[in-house]
């Protein structure tokens, strides 16, 4: 059996959450990440025949029966993950139609997965139906996207267009746009279901006055997706109070579509 501390998926998760904390996206115990693992990935490092313990999930996700996830822990600080991976991260396998999770590794201090675990799993289900290659759901609190929800219309088309206009790369990186939820109580199945519904049409879902959810094929892609949207929001927050003399026009964005082989979300460009 290989040493799990050398597993590429664990090394990359540690690097990613450490970088998220360094970016200021995950203060205290804010934020959470889940990574869908292949069975052979897990089997190379762990004896999957025996679970350490079983944790009720509080929801049902039969689509994820038997699937394993590397996930951050509840109440854990991202800044500590690099120093104590097994205490702050865990690998769980869903059973009983998703109503239970078998702990295969981690949460060594008796903890469990993030309180947003239901929202993550519901989003995984939604994204896998849209993109079978999706592997990551990432939640964090980027300051400028958060600030933007206080001063900008929450209309999804307008919110998306504003971000696209801030950086040339935005329409290329997230041509599917950004979906937006009004403020909702976090840590509930209700916000999980609402997020999952939004995930069917976009890989980014803003939680107003809270943060953002992103989804992607790997940790790098998902991190970069949020990073790009946050940079655009930062520029917007710096110039929102000033007269705008120039912008990226819809004509220019159509040129970007053609040049980079992407297709903007239907109806979002004039």
């Amino acid at each position: 059996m290989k040493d799990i501390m050398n597993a590429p998926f664990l090394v990359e998760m540690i690097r990613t959450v450490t970088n998220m904390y360094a970016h200021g996206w995950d203060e205290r115990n804010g934020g959470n990440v889940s990574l869908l693992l292949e069975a052979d990935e897990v089997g190379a490092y762990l004896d999957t025949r025996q679970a350490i313990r079983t944790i009720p999930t509080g929801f049902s996700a039969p689509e994820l029966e038997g699937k394993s996830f590397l996930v951050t822990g509840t109440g854990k600080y991202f800044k500590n993950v690099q120093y104590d991976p097994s205490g702050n991260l865990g690998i769980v396998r869903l059973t009983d139609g998703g109503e239970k999770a078998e702990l295969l590794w981690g949460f060594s201090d008796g903890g469990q997965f993030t309180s947003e675990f239901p929202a993550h799993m519901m989003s995984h289900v939604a994204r896998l139906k849209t993109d079978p290659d999706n592997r990551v759901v990432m939640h964090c609190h980027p300051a400028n996207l958060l600030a933007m929800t206080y001063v900008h219309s929450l209309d999804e088309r307008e919110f998306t267009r504003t971000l696209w206009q801030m950086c040339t790369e935005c329409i290329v990186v997230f041509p599917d746009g950004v979906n937006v939820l009004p403020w909702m109580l976090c840590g509930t199945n209700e916000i999980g279901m609402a997020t999952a519904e939004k995930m069917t049409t976009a890989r980014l879902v803003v939680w107003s006055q809270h943060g953002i959810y992103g989804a992607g094929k790997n940790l790098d892609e998902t991190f970069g997706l949020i990073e790009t949207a946050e940079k655009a929001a930062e520029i917007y927050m710096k110039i929102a109070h000033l007269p705008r003399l120039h912008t990226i026009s819809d004509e220019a964005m159509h040129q970007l579509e053609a040049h980079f082989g992407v297709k903007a979300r239907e109806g979002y460009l004039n």
Side-chain angles (χ1 to χ4, degrees):
M1 199 76 67
K2 299 179 183 178
D3 183 359
I4 193 170
M5 295 310 299
N6 296 323
F9 58 81
L10 182 60
V11 172
E12 188 60 26
M13 176 68 91
I14 294 169
R15 289 174 177 168
T16 298
V17 298
T18 301
N19 204 10
M20 291 171 73
Y21 180 80
H23 271 59
W25 297 354
D26 297 276
E27 71 292 337
R28 199 173 182 271
N29 63 317
N32 24 79
V33 183
S34 59
L35 170 65
L36 174 60
L37 302 173
E38 300 295 340
D40 57 349
E41 285 183 295
V42 180
Y45 297 93
L46 299 173
D47 182 355
T48 59
R49 294 169 298 181
Q50 294 186 351
I52 299 170
R53 51 191 163 93
T54 299
I55 308 169
T57 64
F59 66 95
S60 176
E63 301 92 336
L64 299 178
E65 174 74 28
K67 300 290 187 183
S68 296
F69 294 86
L70 174 60
V71 61
T72 54
T74 185
K76 303 301 183 181
Y77 292 33
F78 279 11
K79 70 182 181 68
N80 296 332
V81 173
Q82 61 183 317
Y83 307 113
D84 182 17
S86 68
N88 292 280
L89 302 173
I91 296 176
V92 298
R93 179 174 58 203
L94 294 184
T95 64
D96 293 53
E99 295 182 9
K100 295 180 181 177
E102 295 177 331
L103 178 63
L104 302 178
W105 174 86
F107 303 142
S108 56
D109 61 356
Q112 65 178 47
F113 41 70
T114 170
S115 62
E116 303 291 357
F117 191 68
H120 276 250
M121 295 302 105
M122 293 174 193
S123 289
H124 275 288
V125 170
R127 287 309 305 169
L128 286 167
K129 289 177 181 176
T130 302
D131 178 6
D133 293 326
N134 192 85
R135 292 293 178 270
V136 176
V137 171
M138 183 179 292
H139 171 57
C140 54
H141 308 152
N144 293 285
L145 281 163
L146 177 57
M148 196 169 160
T149 65
Y150 286 90
V151 299
H152 192 283
S153 162
L154 299 182
D155 177 84
E156 291 171 340
R157 182 179 186 273
E158 294 307 311
F159 203 95
T160 293
R161 285 175 55 82
T162 293
L163 294 177
W164 282 351
Q165 290 167 356
M166 294 301 105
C167 299
T168 296
E169 66 177 347
C170 284
I171 196 170
V172 179
V173 175
F174 51 96
D176 47 345
V178 176
N179 285 339
V180 183
L181 285 175
W183 187 92
M184 298 179 67
L185 183 63
C186 58
T188 66
N189 286 0
E190 287 73 20
I191 197 170
M193 290 184 286
T195 303
E197 182 179 355
K198 295 290 187 183
M199 278 284 182
T200 62
T201 53
R203 293 166 296 151
L204 288 171
V205 180
V206 169
W207 284 8
S208 296
Q209 295 83 51
H210 184 141
I212 193 168
Y213 259 63
K217 294 180 176 62
N218 54 55
L219 290 164
D220 258 359
E221 178 186 79
T222 313
F223 182 95
L225 190 64
I226 294 173
E227 186 177 34
T228 305
E230 169 64 0
K231 171 60 72 67
E234 180 182 3
I235 295 170
Y236 172 76
M237 293 306 298
K238 287 180 176 179
I239 67 170
H241 63 293
L242 299 171
R244 194 184 300 186
L245 302 180
H246 310 285
T247 193
I248 302 174
S249 67
D250 282 33
E251 180 183 358
M253 285 192 268
H254 282 304
Q255 291 178 28
L256 288 165
E257 282 184 298
H259 185 73
F260 288 98
V262 298
K263 177 61 179 173
R265 188 163 171 173
E266 190 69 31
Y268 274 38
L269 292 180
N270 297 324

